Amino acid sequence: MSDVELEEFYKEHLEEAIIKQLSKQKNISLDEAMNLYYNSKMADYIHEGKYDIQYLDYKVLTDYLIKELSL
């Protein structure tokens, strides 16, 4: 597995963890959590690797996402 493939694999699992945590914390469906996540700035930042945000813990990122979305 190349470094690029490994990075993409990591990002996919990070996104999955954020979505599951968001669903759990806000008591919403996974579909709703997925919709909220993928329509957020955070999703773009993680996808682009902006600010190295993808290296933060998923729980920290979920809390940030909740604040960003004012949930």
Side-chain angles (χ1 to χ4, degrees):
M1 184 177 280
S2 72
D3 289 346
V4 172
E5 291 171 324
L6 185 59
E7 182 77 16
E8 288 304 311
F9 178 78
Y10 176 78
K11 286 179 187 178
E12 287 175 20
H13 286 306
L14 176 63
E15 290 176 328
E16 181 181 326
I18 291 168
I19 291 165
K20 285 181 181 178
Q21 186 68 19
L22 179 61
S23 173
K24 180 180 173 183
Q25 279 186 235
K26 299 310 287 182
N27 197 30
I28 58 176
S29 71
L30 285 172
D31 285 340
E32 188 175 354
M34 190 180 312
N35 185 46
L36 288 170
Y37 171 75
Y38 283 113
N39 287 298
S40 71
K41 290 179 186 176
M42 180 183 294
D44 293 336
Y45 292 166
I46 289 173
H47 179 72
E48 296 167 5
K50 199 169 190 178
Y51 310 117
D52 287 336
I53 195 171
Q54 72 272 20
Y55 299 118
L56 296 175
D57 181 72
Y58 75 94
K59 289 181 180 178
V60 171
L61 291 171
T62 303
D63 289 342
Y64 178 81
L65 180 60
I66 289 170
K67 289 177 186 172
E68 175 190 330
L69 299 173
S70 300
L71 296 177

